[in-house]
Amino acid sequence: MMRRDGFSPIPPPGRLRTLSLATLANTVGSGLWLAGAALYLTRDVGLSAASVGAGLTVAGLVGLTASVPLGGLADRHDPRTLRAVLQLGQAAVAAAYLLVGSFPVFLAVAVLDALLTSGNLAVRAALVAAVGGPDGRVHAFATLRAVANLGIAVGAGLAGFALAADTHLAYQVLVAGNATTYLVSAALLLRLPAYPPAPQPRTAAAPRRARALRDGRFLAVSGASAVLALHWTVLTLVVPLWAVTRVGAAPPVVSAVLLTNTVLTVLLAVRLSRGADAAAPAARQLRRAGLVLAAAMLLYAATAGLPAVPAVALLLVATVVYTVGDLWHGTAGAGLAYDLAPPDAVGAYQGADGMLAGLARAVGPALLTLVVLDGGVPGWLAVGALFAIVGLATPALVRRALATRPAPDAEAAAPTPAGRAG
């Protein structure tokens, strides 16, 4: 397993570093777009906030349909080349936002964007598995998560210049910058070697995609992880609204909360990823994640009724606890999705796992704002109880999935010597 010196999330020279640099370029663009998209589409294009929200919701749901098919495609073809091609497509779609002038055009571009993004995530998971190898893929996943957080933070900071200028030209530069990062990322990906697909066992009667969607025990484990994935909405939507409307904190506190999570993710993602390479220890880590996330919900609930200064301090403490649970959940979920998948169907299984997580992201905003913001402290307690119960149930679900898993073929399990991180 590769180690890094100091606190830099970029790994030592090798294939994982190349993949990390491609991720960094890609996520700088993501940060640009995440920070600037809403204002570009409303202030510069002239769409209403309601139409933007509705369009992105529809696009997000449609986009989920690409996850499993494109993940399955990565099982039959070189995931490096496939991902580079997808990123060239994403560059074109990102640039197409410059042509948006009406809601129908926006919806068409947003749907294409969501389809490519969802599929690309599944293909990326297959590429991470190839680069990291069976013993290093969770470490690679955690490394890329730290790098991604750094890239998004840099991109969001750069977007601030465009938002401060608030001119047509500034927004056009922001959109073009996002498109350009896809091209840079694709070029970096092509510096990696090709990774031939794993041979499909002769006994496999069903296509890889069908196997992933029919594997009920795998879907049960991924469904448990997807329920815990509701915590993403807690941090990005519920906590900011709770802090301002119920705690009475000043808006800059929201930035402090998100910055705390970002910095800790960059510093701790790899350190907290250890021990999640195989399904059984990953299940125990997911159990810990559920309990820690539940504790964070209790701490957020405890801010109700406190004076401003103690409430803000407790919000930050809760976010530290939350981040530990978040990181454990991320690496444990990845470890389970990798280790429970047949070696020749990693992409399809990752696509199914990503589809369930995407559904959680889709229903999370409406569900959690209703439960927590309308329900108050009892709502926080209910969400915490849900996280704890799901975490505690996960090891049993994993044991059930492992009980019916065929013994892996030694040759099929190893992608090839070239697939190991260098």
Side-chain angles (χ1 to χ4, degrees):
M1 183 178 293
M2 300 171 61
R3 301 294 181 194
R4 297 195 315 270
D5 295 325
F7 293 100
S8 171
I10 305 298
R15 291 170 187 158
L16 183 55
R17 169 174 278 193
T18 301
L19 185 55
S20 296
L21 293 175
T23 297
L24 183 64
N26 196 176
T27 53
V28 167
S30 299
L32 282 169
W33 184 241
L34 288 172
L39 290 179
Y40 166 67
L41 293 169
T42 54
R43 294 179 65 82
D44 194 52
V45 175
L47 300 177
S48 69
S51 64
V52 170
L56 292 177
T57 299
V58 170
L61 292 173
V62 173
L64 294 177
T65 61
S67 185
V68 177
L70 282 174
L73 197 62
D75 294 323
R76 301 191 298 275
H77 302 282
D78 170 25
R80 175 214 60 169
T81 304
L82 180 57
R83 186 163 192 233
V85 170
L86 286 174
Q87 293 208 307
L88 292 177
Q90 287 185 285
V93 171
Y97 277 106
L98 294 171
L99 306 177
V100 171
S102 64
F103 179 75
V105 176
F106 160 65
L107 183 61
V109 174
V111 167
L112 286 174
D113 191 9
L115 286 168
L116 288 171
T117 298
S118 179
N120 200 0
L121 288 174
V123 174
R124 186 194 73 159
L127 180 58
V128 170
V131 170
D135 297 328
R137 55 198 178 186
V138 173
H139 167 76
F141 170 87
T143 299
L144 295 179
R145 182 167 183 192
V147 170
N149 273 263
L150 177 61
I152 289 172
V154 170
L158 293 174
F161 292 102
L163 302 183
D166 196 27
T167 64
H168 176 70
L169 177 60
Y171 286 119
Q172 300 283 292
V173 170
L174 184 149
V175 175
N178 179 36
T180 301
T181 62
Y182 285 113
L183 300 177
V184 175
S185 181
L188 288 167
L189 287 174
L190 292 176
R191 295 176 58 187
L192 291 169
Y195 292 95
Q200 185 173 15
R202 296 177 182 177
T203 56
R208 293 171 173 93
R209 178 174 61 180
R211 289 160 60 196
L213 295 177
R214 293 174 184 172
D215 191 338
R217 298 189 178 194
F218 172 84
L219 294 177
V221 175
S222 288
S225 180
V227 171
L228 290 183
L230 289 170
H231 71 75
W232 295 331
T233 301
V234 170
L235 183 73
T236 58
L237 178 65
V238 176
V239 169
L241 293 175
W242 174 269
V244 174
T245 63
R246 300 295 292 269
V247 175
V253 170
V254 173
S255 296
V257 167
L258 297 177
L259 182 61
T260 297
N261 173 258
T262 298
V263 171
L264 289 177
T265 298
V266 172
L267 295 178
L268 300 179
V270 175
R271 289 171 173 80
L272 294 183
S273 70
R274 296 164 189 162
D277 297 299
R284 294 191 291 271
Q285 188 175 103
L286 201 68
R287 177 175 60 195
R288 292 197 302 271
L291 296 174
V292 171
L293 288 169
M297 299 307 106
L298 298 182
L299 292 173
Y300 283 128
T303 61
L306 290 179
V309 173
V312 169
L314 190 54
L315 279 173
L316 295 175
V317 170
T319 301
V320 173
V321 175
Y322 163 90
T323 302
V324 173
D326 171 26
L327 294 175
W328 272 339
H329 167 252
T331 53
L336 289 169
Y338 280 132
D339 200 43
L340 294 178
D344 67 309
V346 170
Y349 272 69
Q350 287 287 322
D353 182 71
M355 182 179 67
L356 292 176
L359 286 172
R361 287 194 295 271
V363 305
L367 175 65
L368 292 176
T369 52
L370 175 66
V371 171
V372 175
L373 297 180
D374 291 347
V377 171
W380 281 115
L381 299 180
V383 174
L386 175 65
F387 288 162
I389 290 169
V390 171
L392 290 170
T394 298
L397 294 175
V398 172
R399 286 194 295 271
R400 187 167 173 264
L402 289 173
T404 57
R405 187 176 68 172
D409 179 79
E411 294 182 359
T416 64
R420 297 301 299 272

